[in-house]
Amino acid sequence: MNADIIAAILAPLTFFEGRCEDKETLRRLIVLANDKSRRKQAHALFTEIRKKTLAAGKRDDQLALAQYAFEEICAKTLYNLTGEPAPFDPGSPFWILPRALELGRMLGITDAGEISPLLRAK
């Protein structure tokens, strides 16, 4: 199951890393998703992303807010996979794809299958 969650995170992270102006935390999330031994760092990364979210809210940057909402849910999910104490909301993984779809919509993506293979129409 963890492999499925990692796949659900990595596809949109990689997709957006090539399309978002602010790539720094997207790249760090990709590293954490690919390196199980470093995933507990996702808690601190969440805090960094939250600061970016608050700054984007102050300037009413809707695209940045969508990006950081997606990044926050990825960081929460990665941290929760570690089994470390003080986990985030256990429902976090269920928000990965909806937040990815919202960010994609903000970027003008009309085919959800571009964002993740899990979203391809069958």
Side-chain angles (χ1 to χ4, degrees):
M1 175 141 120
N2 285 358
D4 292 337
I5 294 171
I6 295 301
I9 290 173
L10 277 172
L13 278 172
T14 303
F15 178 81
F16 293 129
E17 190 261 341
R19 287 162 180 79
C20 290
E21 189 174 311
D22 180 359
K23 300 173 185 314
E24 189 245 338
T25 44
L26 286 166
R27 288 178 176 155
R28 289 172 62 195
L29 285 163
I30 291 167
V31 168
L32 296 181
N34 281 309
D35 187 349
K36 184 178 180 178
S37 70
R38 296 177 59 188
R39 286 188 193 146
K40 64 180 165 181
Q41 296 172 15
H43 199 289
L45 184 54
F46 167 82
T47 302
E48 290 180 44
I49 296 165
R50 176 52 57 104
K51 289 177 186 174
K52 292 165 86 170
T53 302
L54 295 172
K58 285 182 182 178
R59 63 180 188 273
D60 195 31
D61 184 339
Q62 296 301 309
L63 178 57
L65 285 169
Q67 177 180 342
Y68 303 143
F70 168 69
E71 290 183 11
E72 283 185 10
I73 212 66
C74 290
K76 287 178 175 182
T77 300
L78 289 170
Y79 180 76
N80 284 359
L81 291 175
T82 68
E84 291 287 319
F88 293 102
D89 175 29
S92 295
F94 296 103
W95 287 99
I96 295 167
L97 294 177
R99 296 282 161 91
L101 285 171
E102 176 61 17
L103 177 53
R105 186 186 65 75
M106 298 286 291
L107 290 169
I109 307 302
T110 56
D111 178 4
E114 287 184 60
I115 297 167
S116 172
L118 298 172
L119 299 171
R120 286 202 175 98
K122 296 186 181 191

